[in-house]
Amino acid sequence: LRSASSTTQTHNRYLEMEIVTDEFNRCFCKAHRREICHECCMSFDVTNRMAEEEAGLTKKRTPWEVAAEEKAIAYVSLRGMERMHPRPSEETFAMNRKYLEDADKKLQKFAREGHDVETAFRKAVEKQQESTLQMDAMTQAWRKENPHSNTFEVGGPETQRLYEQVAAPPKSSSRRGDFYTCDYCKKPSAAELKCCARCKKVAYCNKDCQKAAWKAHKKTCIPWTGTKDPKELALTWDELEAFGGRPAEGKVLEIRAMLDESMMRQVFQCKDRLGKLRRIAAYTNSRGIPGLQQGSIIKWKNPKFHYFMDGSSGARIEEEDLPNITVS
């Protein structure tokens, strides 16, 4: 666990590994150019988000948001270690407990200062639990293929195959643009935002965000040469939620059915193109969605967001929604 100020030291340590870096000091495995590679057992998502903040690609998090993420990582890590076999050493448990205590002290200080640490911690835990749900999905797929085995060895080509089969986000076209989330502050919007006049593929909620992002964005801002403006990317869960529960007319939600939680009806944890997880539940006549299985890609035209009674959120699929849904 490291704060944003230690990003440089972290990346210097990674330079000794089999990695490559880009112009923003983001790291990827050298063999496959992946940010998270189960085959190489490398993960750079946390440090890469820090690198993007330091480069000015995205807005920096507040100190209490950083502390909340530190606490969430330690909290979820401790829960995950309880499931490992063999169990990590007591020293490893003690180290993570110390991280948890230190981060909690920081959050208590920010709370006394009047900052909304509860919301920051809730969002941070939700983000970290997505990794747990992803591993649950891969384990679920592995069990279907190996019904008589009870030990799933994590890491290597087999783990990467399972990830790509059931847990990878839907692929996005580099020729399309995201016009409903600010590329700098990441705030979603139900209204189409003004895009960069040069590349026409990123958008900003206001001039301040565009100005703050330009120093970094200009390094990758390639003038759009198409005869027509680029088409829009599929909506993300956050963008759909911004519509406030009303149908997103003319828009498409594209998600992967990742973790099967079905009991009385089909229920799946589904991942959008940015990796965000939300739940879908089938309230159709058959209590299911034709053709839907773990790993399927769902495309839903005119989707709408839903808040469930248990506090979770995502989408409630009704019978009348089925003509607008394709499963592949």
Side-chain angles (χ1 to χ4, degrees), residues 197-229:
R198 194 163 181 254
C199 71
K200 298 185 182 294
K201 290 198 293 185
V202 298
Y204 301 97
C205 54
N206 54 50
K207 290 184 178 180
D208 290 338
C209 281
Q210 184 173 15
K211 184 177 180 180
W214 175 242
K215 182 178 179 181
H217 174 60
K218 67 181 179 182
K219 295 180 180 180
T220 58
C221 184
I222 300 174
W224 178 255
T225 57
T227 56
K228 297 181 179 180
D229 288 347

Side-chain angles (χ1 to χ4, degrees), residues 174-179 195-196 199-203 222 224 230:
S174 61
R175 297 283 294 175
R176 291 176 177 258
D178 191 343
F179 310 128
C195 66
C196 171
C199 71
K200 298 185 182 294
K201 290 198 293 185
V202 298
I222 300 174
W224 178 255

Side-chain angles (χ1 to χ4, degrees), residues 38-39 134-146 151-169 256-258 271 294-295:
H38 297 282
E39 192 167 350
Q134 177 177 286
M135 186 55 65
D136 288 345
M138 293 160 63
T139 303
Q140 187 179 72
W142 176 85
R143 282 174 175 165
K144 291 179 182 178
E145 297 179 0
N146 302 273
T151 302
F152 176 33
E153 186 173 338
V154 178
E158 179 67 5
T159 307
Q160 185 66 35
R161 180 187 68 80
L162 288 170
Y163 169 77
E164 293 173 358
Q165 178 179 309
V166 302
R256 182 185 294 278
M258 190 184 79
K271 180 181 285 189
Q294 189 183 27

Side-chain angles (χ1 to χ4, degrees), residues 189-326:
S189 170
E192 186 171 333
L193 304 175
K194 291 186 177 181
C195 66
C196 171
R198 194 163 181 254
C199 71
K200 298 185 182 294
K201 290 198 293 185
V202 298
Y204 301 97
C205 54
N206 54 50
K207 290 184 178 180
D208 290 338
C209 281
Q210 184 173 15
K211 184 177 180 180
W214 175 242
K215 182 178 179 181
H217 174 60
K218 67 181 179 182
K219 295 180 180 180
T220 58
C221 184
I222 300 174
W224 178 255
T225 57
T227 56
K228 297 181 179 180
D229 288 347
K231 295 181 179 180
E232 62 189 36
L233 287 165
L235 293 179
T236 64
W237 281 121
D238 285 344
E239 290 170 346
L240 181 60
E241 186 175 13
F243 279 79
R246 67 183 188 276
E249 298 290 348
K251 311 302 177 187
V252 174
L253 174 70
E254 185 175 13
I255 50 180
R256 182 185 294 278
M258 190 184 79
L259 179 64
D260 190 348
E261 299 177 331
S262 304
M263 294 181 69
M264 300 297 291
R265 64 182 78 252
Q266 265 194 324
V267 178
F268 274 88
Q269 288 283 350
C270 294
K271 180 181 285 189
D272 67 16
R273 58 181 168 83
L274 295 183
K276 174 65 73 73
L277 287 175
R278 287 291 183 267
R279 180 174 283 130
I280 65 163
Y283 283 78
T284 59
N285 295 339
S286 66
R287 296 177 178 247
I289 299 172
L292 181 60
Q293 60 184 347
Q294 189 183 27
S296 295
I297 298 296
I298 305 167
K299 292 184 180 180
W300 183 14
K301 188 177 181 181
N302 305 328
K304 54 183 179 292
F305 201 79
H306 183 77
Y307 296 97
F308 296 99
M309 295 292 289
D310 65 355
S312 64
S313 60
R316 171 176 169 143
I317 310 298
E318 308 282 357
E319 186 72 23
E320 56 266 30
D321 296 318
L322 293 180
N324 289 327
I325 292 176
T326 60

